[in-house]
Amino acid sequence: MKTEISTDRAAAVELLERSEIVALPTETVYGLAADALNGEAVAKIFEAKKRPYFDPLIVHLPDRDWVERVARMDDLSGKVTEAFWPGPFTIVLPKREIVPDIVTAGLDTVAVRISAHPVFSEIIHKFGKPLAAPSANRFGRVSPTTAQHVCDELDGRIPLIVDAGPTAHGIESTIVAVRGGKIQILRRGPVTAEQLSKFGTIEIAGPIERVSAPGQLPTHYAPRTPLRLIEVSESFSPKKNQRVGLLAWNSARSAKDFAVFRCLSERQDYREAAANLFCYLRELDQSDLDLIVAERVPLHGLGAAIMDRLQRAAHDPLDAQDRPE
Ligand code: TXA
Ligand code: MG
């Protein structure tokens, strides 16, 4: 199959109507979309991404009127989504029959989101129905923030990538679930714990807490090159003949020690850093390095979501298995 990169929104709608899959921009990362209410169309997403069927998808809605058709919204979830929709925000709700089991991996809940991206919004409104859309990367890999990244991941496996330039936030949406009157953060993202705390008590779900979301697996977002986290103040010099790339938070280190040097944000701006994160990880991963060294980012606001991704990128897959005591 030939993969087109274009700005043709009508072609995207037409493909979706024919139960095909299409990569679309959102304000967080690019998603791989299919008709959420059509199990066969959704199966193509799992195939193209090589995603295991136990990992449920986010359902994007054209507008709020759709919420009660696919899920049951409680009062607190209603208030929180009122504040952050449309936007980089996903909420897990009890699902209704209409949502096929393949979308939710058999769970009795469904993750729903309304995106504010003008191109995504235009396409989903023309299509007129919910779209299931995970990030448009192969399973377990870094999410794509440009059309070219999607192409690097899925070339030849999907018919169309709608290009709307780099995404604004650069990291995936915040995912929450309201449980026992508390707001549980299942995945950190652009909407921060501080922002959510205005609405109630916050709980941060720990890494593999009974994997209801494999996006929480410690090895998710993995580059192929080993990645090590260091403190900004920690000294580090590459060994002789070792090709090391630096992903810096603070640009104070000497660039000449490193084969490749990327600074997340010269002005230490968290938004800019988040927007650059996956792009720089990809560039470093493609630079034929022995090691990527990444400086720890302060945990304020969005910094926590950035560190969450970096920690997963740094995780040694061999450590991901539960080891006997
Ligand atoms: O920003 C985003 O959220 C992007 C754009 C395209 O919308 N999407 C995205 O989807 O990151 P994905 O599939 O890569 O990550 C969604 C995460 C997965 O870790 C999945 O396990 C979790 O959401 N998830 C989906 N349904 C769930 C549910 N019912 N309960 C708990 N977690 C769920
Ligand atoms: Mg993903």
PDB file of all heavy atoms in Angstrom, residues 49 51 134-137 141 143 172 187 220-221, ligand 2:
ATOM      1  N   LYS A  49      -0.540  -0.890  13.666  1.00  0.00           N
ATOM      2  CA  LYS A  49       0.352  -0.497  14.767  1.00  0.00           C
ATOM      3  C   LYS A  49       1.067  -1.683  15.391  1.00  0.00           C
ATOM      4  O   LYS A  49       1.947  -1.498  16.223  1.00  0.00           O
ATOM      5  CB  LYS A  49      -0.462   0.164  15.892  1.00  0.00           C
ATOM      6  CG  LYS A  49      -0.801   1.613  15.697  1.00  0.00           C
ATOM      7  CD  LYS A  49      -1.529   2.159  16.925  1.00  0.00           C
ATOM      8  CE  LYS A  49      -0.750   2.059  18.207  1.00  0.00           C
ATOM      9  NZ  LYS A  49      -0.139   3.279  18.691  1.00  0.00           N
ATOM     10  N   ARG A  51      -0.402  -3.476  17.508  1.00  0.00           N
ATOM     11  CA  ARG A  51      -0.784  -3.230  18.903  1.00  0.00           C
ATOM     12  C   ARG A  51      -1.517  -4.449  19.444  1.00  0.00           C
ATOM     13  O   ARG A  51      -2.389  -4.989  18.772  1.00  0.00           O
ATOM     14  CB  ARG A  51      -1.713  -2.012  18.940  1.00  0.00           C
ATOM     15  CG  ARG A  51      -2.203  -1.579  20.314  1.00  0.00           C
ATOM     16  CD  ARG A  51      -2.989  -0.297  20.125  1.00  0.00           C
ATOM     17  NE  ARG A  51      -3.638   0.184  21.308  1.00  0.00           N
ATOM     18  CZ  ARG A  51      -3.374   1.376  21.865  1.00  0.00           C
ATOM     19  NH1 ARG A  51      -2.440   2.146  21.371  1.00  0.00           N
ATOM     20  NH2 ARG A  51      -4.053   1.782  22.908  1.00  0.00           N
ATOM     21  N   PRO A 134      -5.640   5.852  18.564  1.00  0.00           N
ATOM     22  CA  PRO A 134      -4.445   5.835  19.400  1.00  0.00           C
ATOM     23  C   PRO A 134      -3.362   6.666  18.725  1.00  0.00           C
ATOM     24  O   PRO A 134      -3.548   7.109  17.591  1.00  0.00           O
ATOM     25  CB  PRO A 134      -4.054   4.358  19.404  1.00  0.00           C
ATOM     26  CG  PRO A 134      -4.475   3.876  18.054  1.00  0.00           C
ATOM     27  CD  PRO A 134      -5.700   4.682  17.665  1.00  0.00           C
ATOM     28  N   SER A 135      -2.255   6.867  19.400  1.00  0.00           N
ATOM     29  CA  SER A 135      -1.137   7.568  18.767  1.00  0.00           C
ATOM     30  C   SER A 135      -0.674   6.763  17.543  1.00  0.00           C
ATOM     31  O   SER A 135      -0.698   5.529  17.564  1.00  0.00           O
ATOM     32  CB  SER A 135      -0.004   7.749  19.771  1.00  0.00           C
ATOM     33  OG  SER A 135       0.332   6.510  20.364  1.00  0.00           O
ATOM     34  N   ALA A 136      -0.243   7.488  16.491  1.00  0.00           N
ATOM     35  CA  ALA A 136       0.023   6.843  15.196  1.00  0.00           C
ATOM     36  C   ALA A 136       1.462   6.332  15.085  1.00  0.00           C
ATOM     37  O   ALA A 136       2.177   6.632  14.132  1.00  0.00           O
ATOM     38  CB  ALA A 136      -0.291   7.816  14.062  1.00  0.00           C
ATOM     39  N   ASN A 137       1.877   5.550  16.085  1.00  0.00           N
ATOM     40  CA  ASN A 137       3.206   4.933  16.073  1.00  0.00           C
ATOM     41  C   ASN A 137       3.035   3.424  16.210  1.00  0.00           C
ATOM     42  O   ASN A 137       1.967   2.956  16.587  1.00  0.00           O
ATOM     43  CB  ASN A 137       4.030   5.444  17.267  1.00  0.00           C
ATOM     44  CG  ASN A 137       3.244   5.335  18.564  1.00  0.00           C
ATOM     45  OD1 ASN A 137       2.414   6.198  18.869  1.00  0.00           O
ATOM     46  ND2 ASN A 137       3.464   4.263  19.302  1.00  0.00           N
ATOM     47  N   ARG A 141       6.353   2.452  20.910  1.00  0.00           N
ATOM     48  CA  ARG A 141       7.368   3.418  20.433  1.00  0.00           C
ATOM     49  C   ARG A 141       6.920   4.846  20.723  1.00  0.00           C
ATOM     50  O   ARG A 141       5.789   5.095  21.119  1.00  0.00           O
ATOM     51  CB  ARG A 141       7.605   3.207  18.938  1.00  0.00           C
ATOM     52  CG  ARG A 141       7.940   1.750  18.599  1.00  0.00           C
ATOM     53  CD  ARG A 141       9.346   1.559  18.143  1.00  0.00           C
ATOM     54  NE  ARG A 141       9.693   2.470  17.095  1.00  0.00           N
ATOM     55  CZ  ARG A 141      10.749   3.302  17.148  1.00  0.00           C
ATOM     56  NH1 ARG A 141      11.524   3.336  18.194  1.00  0.00           N
ATOM     57  NH2 ARG A 141      11.014   4.076  16.125  1.00  0.00           N
ATOM     58  N   SER A 143       5.564   8.503  20.449  1.00  0.00           N
ATOM     59  CA  SER A 143       4.431   9.051  19.685  1.00  0.00           C
ATOM     60  C   SER A 143       4.890  10.070  18.644  1.00  0.00           C
ATOM     61  O   SER A 143       5.844  10.810  18.880  1.00  0.00           O
ATOM     62  CB  SER A 143       3.443   9.737  20.627  1.00  0.00           C
ATOM     63  OG  SER A 143       2.827   8.815  21.470  1.00  0.00           O
ATOM     64  N   GLU A 172       1.146  13.183  24.793  1.00  0.00           N
ATOM     65  CA  GLU A 172      -0.230  12.700  24.716  1.00  0.00           C
ATOM     66  C   GLU A 172      -1.106  13.339  25.796  1.00  0.00           C
ATOM     67  O   GLU A 172      -0.613  13.809  26.816  1.00  0.00           O
ATOM     68  CB  GLU A 172      -0.275  11.175  24.868  1.00  0.00           C
ATOM     69  CG  GLU A 172       0.622  10.415  23.918  1.00  0.00           C
ATOM     70  CD  GLU A 172       2.034  10.271  24.446  1.00  0.00           C
ATOM     71  OE1 GLU A 172       2.383  10.909  25.455  1.00  0.00           O
ATOM     72  OE2 GLU A 172       2.806   9.505  23.826  1.00  0.00           O
ATOM     73  N   ARG A 187      -2.640   8.844  33.302  1.00  0.00           N
ATOM     74  CA  ARG A 187      -1.464   9.217  32.499  1.00  0.00           C
ATOM     75  C   ARG A 187      -1.309  10.725  32.610  1.00  0.00           C
ATOM     76  O   ARG A 187      -2.250  11.466  32.356  1.00  0.00           O
ATOM     77  CB  ARG A 187      -1.660   8.803  31.037  1.00  0.00           C
ATOM     78  CG  ARG A 187      -0.472   9.193  30.155  1.00  0.00           C
ATOM     79  CD  ARG A 187      -0.590   8.672  28.732  1.00  0.00           C
ATOM     80  NE  ARG A 187      -1.593   9.407  27.981  1.00  0.00           N
ATOM     81  CZ  ARG A 187      -1.986   9.082  26.748  1.00  0.00           C
ATOM     82  NH1 ARG A 187      -1.480   8.018  26.141  1.00  0.00           N
ATOM     83  NH2 ARG A 187      -2.891   9.807  26.128  1.00  0.00           N
ATOM     84  N   HIS A 220       7.121   1.736  27.943  1.00  0.00           N
ATOM     85  CA  HIS A 220       6.474   2.430  26.843  1.00  0.00           C
ATOM     86  C   HIS A 220       7.317   3.638  26.403  1.00  0.00           C
ATOM     87  O   HIS A 220       8.114   4.133  27.162  1.00  0.00           O
ATOM     88  CB  HIS A 220       5.097   2.895  27.302  1.00  0.00           C
ATOM     89  CG  HIS A 220       4.048   2.652  26.270  1.00  0.00           C
ATOM     90  ND1 HIS A 220       3.637   1.389  25.929  1.00  0.00           N
ATOM     91  CD2 HIS A 220       3.352   3.499  25.497  1.00  0.00           C
ATOM     92  CE1 HIS A 220       2.713   1.485  25.004  1.00  0.00           C
ATOM     93  NE2 HIS A 220       2.513   2.755  24.717  1.00  0.00           N
ATOM     94  N   TYR A 221       7.114   4.110  25.189  1.00  0.00           N
ATOM     95  CA  TYR A 221       7.834   5.275  24.643  1.00  0.00           C
ATOM     96  C   TYR A 221       9.326   5.009  24.504  1.00  0.00           C
ATOM     97  O   TYR A 221      10.149   5.887  24.722  1.00  0.00           O
ATOM     98  CB  TYR A 221       7.647   6.517  25.525  1.00  0.00           C
ATOM     99  CG  TYR A 221       6.238   6.774  25.909  1.00  0.00           C
ATOM    100  CD1 TYR A 221       5.792   6.551  27.196  1.00  0.00           C
ATOM    101  CD2 TYR A 221       5.335   7.251  24.972  1.00  0.00           C
ATOM    102  CE1 TYR A 221       4.486   6.775  27.543  1.00  0.00           C
ATOM    103  CE2 TYR A 221       4.020   7.484  25.312  1.00  0.00           C
ATOM    104  CZ  TYR A 221       3.599   7.238  26.600  1.00  0.00           C
ATOM    105  OH  TYR A 221       2.311   7.463  26.937  1.00  0.00           O
TER     106      TYR A 221
HETATM  107 MG    MG B   2       0.384   5.509  22.227  1.00  0.00          MG
END
